[in-house]
Amino acid sequence: GFTNGSQTNKWVFGSATGNTGNSLYISNDNGVTNAYTISATTVVHAYRDIAVPAGASVAKLSFDWKGVGESSFDYMRVWLVPASFMPTAGTQITALANQRIQVGTNLNQQSTWQTYNNANLNISAFAGQTMRLVFEWRNDSSGGTQPPGAIDNVNLFVCNNATPTLNVSAVTYNSATLTW
């Protein structure tokens, strides 16, 4: 889903850019281009809900991204939030312990596709619940460089992390039966 509201720069799904095929990207012309109106302040969100199995504590998240923006003023952020939390267009998400968790750092200053990988993402706060993965684009109106944010090839693998129980039986002088 998207929370674009009446913002000038919006998340779209289309073919103006992609690291193979279509992608999610910011556009100021309904998806014709991956470009933004630098003079318009914007905060918009693209999200997907994911059921997290009970007992899950670790996930692997990877995605391709690009976007230049403006140093520390125009950037993308990635969030893990409960599905009950709906981002609001025009308002940045703020961190809240075990409820609104920023993944990685602010993403910008890259004009070519980069790959983000986190193979040890702590999702224990969402075990047994539905978690919302949110991509947030923010720009102020003071300047910036094209293109704005784009996301492609998103993969989230939830690991059950069930700890095996080792059973030892039929122990003899030179053998044993191990099961788990």
Side-chain angles (χ1 to χ4, degrees):
F2 299 116
T3 59
N4 285 322
S6 61
Q7 302 288 291
T8 301
N9 304 308
K10 299 177 180 350
W11 280 109
V12 298
F13 177 76
S15 60
T17 190
N19 198 20
T20 64
N22 293 335
S23 69
L24 289 172
Y25 54 92
I26 296 298
S27 180
N28 60 0
D29 56 13
N30 296 314
V32 176
T33 62
N34 174 213
Y36 73 121
T37 302
I38 295 166
S39 60
T41 300
T42 301
V43 179
V44 290
H45 309 90
Y47 64 90
R48 175 72 184 252
D49 290 351
I50 299 145
V52 178
S57 60
V58 175
K60 177 182 179 185
L61 174 64
S62 67
F63 56 88
D64 296 334
W65 71 276
K66 71 175 181 173
V68 180
E70 179 191 12
S71 64
S72 60
F73 301 105
D74 301 351
Y75 51 81
M76 287 183 293
R77 296 192 300 181
V78 181
W79 293 92
L80 305 179
V81 301
S84 60
F85 176 81
M86 180 56 76
T88 303
T91 304
Q92 285 190 268
I93 298 172
T94 55
L96 182 61
N98 297 319
Q99 293 186 46
R100 295 191 298 256
I101 302 164
Q102 184 177 353
V103 176
T105 61
N106 296 345
L107 303 174
N108 66 357
Q109 301 300 295
Q110 295 295 329
S111 61
T112 60
W113 289 101
Q114 310 293 307
T115 299
Y116 174 88
N117 276 304
N118 185 336
N120 196 27
L121 184 61
N122 183 346
I123 58 166
S124 58
F126 305 103
Q129 303 173 43
T130 300
M131 172 184 77
R132 183 165 283 158
L133 174 65
V134 181
F135 293 95
E136 176 182 77
W137 167 259
R138 180 253 195 220
N139 68 273
D140 67 2
S141 58
S142 68
T145 302
Q146 306 288 350
I151 301 288
D152 204 353
N153 301 317
V154 179
N155 290 290
L156 180 72
F157 300 100
V158 177
C159 309
N160 246 349
N161 283 348
T163 304
T165 303
L166 179 62
N167 298 309
V168 180
S169 60
V171 177
T172 67
Y173 175 74
N174 61 0
S175 68
T177 301
L178 304 175
T179 59
W180 60 81

